[in-house]
PDB file of all heavy atoms in Angstrom:
ATOM      1  N   GLY P 219     -41.309 142.235 158.774  1.00 97.00           N
ATOM      2  CA  GLY P 219     -41.753 140.903 159.065  1.00 97.00           C
ATOM      3  C   GLY P 219     -43.034 140.593 158.278  1.00 97.00           C
ATOM      4  O   GLY P 219     -43.422 141.347 157.359  1.00 97.00           O
ATOM      5  N   GLY P 263     -38.237 167.912 162.554  1.00 86.00           N
ATOM      6  CA  GLY P 263     -39.518 167.651 163.246  1.00 86.00           C
ATOM      7  C   GLY P 263     -40.740 167.718 162.337  1.00 86.00           C
ATOM      8  O   GLY P 263     -41.846 167.384 162.752  1.00 86.00           O
ATOM      9  N   ALA P 271     -49.538 156.634 152.322  1.00 97.00           N
ATOM     10  CA  ALA P 271     -49.222 156.415 153.707  1.00 97.00           C
ATOM     11  C   ALA P 271     -50.036 157.428 154.657  1.00 97.00           C
ATOM     12  O   ALA P 271     -50.078 157.131 155.847  1.00 97.00           O
ATOM     13  CB  ALA P 271     -47.735 156.796 153.917  1.00 97.00           C
ATOM     14  N   LYS P 272     -50.666 158.377 154.093  1.00 97.00           N
ATOM     15  CA  LYS P 272     -51.350 159.333 154.979  1.00 97.00           C
ATOM     16  C   LYS P 272     -52.483 158.699 155.754  1.00 97.00           C
ATOM     17  O   LYS P 272     -53.289 157.936 155.189  1.00 97.00           O
ATOM     18  CB  LYS P 272     -51.894 160.495 154.091  1.00 97.00           C
ATOM     19  CG  LYS P 272     -50.840 161.473 153.594  1.00 97.00           C
ATOM     20  CD  LYS P 272     -51.505 162.499 152.679  1.00 97.00           C
ATOM     21  CE  LYS P 272     -50.377 163.444 152.199  1.00 97.00           C
ATOM     22  NZ  LYS P 272     -50.932 164.492 151.265  1.00 97.00           N
ATOM     23  N   LYS P 294     -51.995 146.902 154.410  1.00 97.00           N
ATOM     24  CA  LYS P 294     -52.760 146.287 153.313  1.00 97.00           C
ATOM     25  C   LYS P 294     -51.715 145.387 152.494  1.00 97.00           C
ATOM     26  O   LYS P 294     -50.536 145.608 152.545  1.00 97.00           O
ATOM     27  CB  LYS P 294     -53.311 147.315 152.367  1.00 97.00           C
ATOM     28  CG  LYS P 294     -54.135 148.352 153.055  1.00 97.00           C
ATOM     29  CD  LYS P 294     -54.583 149.446 152.056  1.00 97.00           C
ATOM     30  CE  LYS P 294     -55.365 150.518 152.731  1.00 97.00           C
ATOM     31  NZ  LYS P 294     -55.723 151.606 151.798  1.00 97.00           N
ATOM     32  N   TYR P 315     -23.338 167.806 152.746  1.00 93.00           N
ATOM     33  CA  TYR P 315     -24.212 166.694 153.122  1.00 93.00           C
ATOM     34  C   TYR P 315     -24.234 165.644 151.986  1.00 93.00           C
ATOM     35  O   TYR P 315     -24.061 165.973 150.809  1.00 93.00           O
ATOM     36  CB  TYR P 315     -25.583 167.228 153.354  1.00 93.00           C
ATOM     37  CG  TYR P 315     -25.786 167.903 154.690  1.00 93.00           C
ATOM     38  CD1 TYR P 315     -25.448 169.236 154.861  1.00 93.00           C
ATOM     39  CD2 TYR P 315     -26.309 167.197 155.771  1.00 93.00           C
ATOM     40  CE1 TYR P 315     -25.619 169.829 156.035  1.00 93.00           C
ATOM     41  CE2 TYR P 315     -26.491 167.823 156.965  1.00 93.00           C
ATOM     42  CZ  TYR P 315     -26.118 169.145 157.136  1.00 93.00           C
ATOM     43  OH  TYR P 315     -26.289 169.762 158.353  1.00 93.00           O
TER      44      TYR P 315
END
Side-chain angles (χ1 to χ4, degrees):
K272 288 179 181 177
K294 305 174 183 179
Y315 284 82

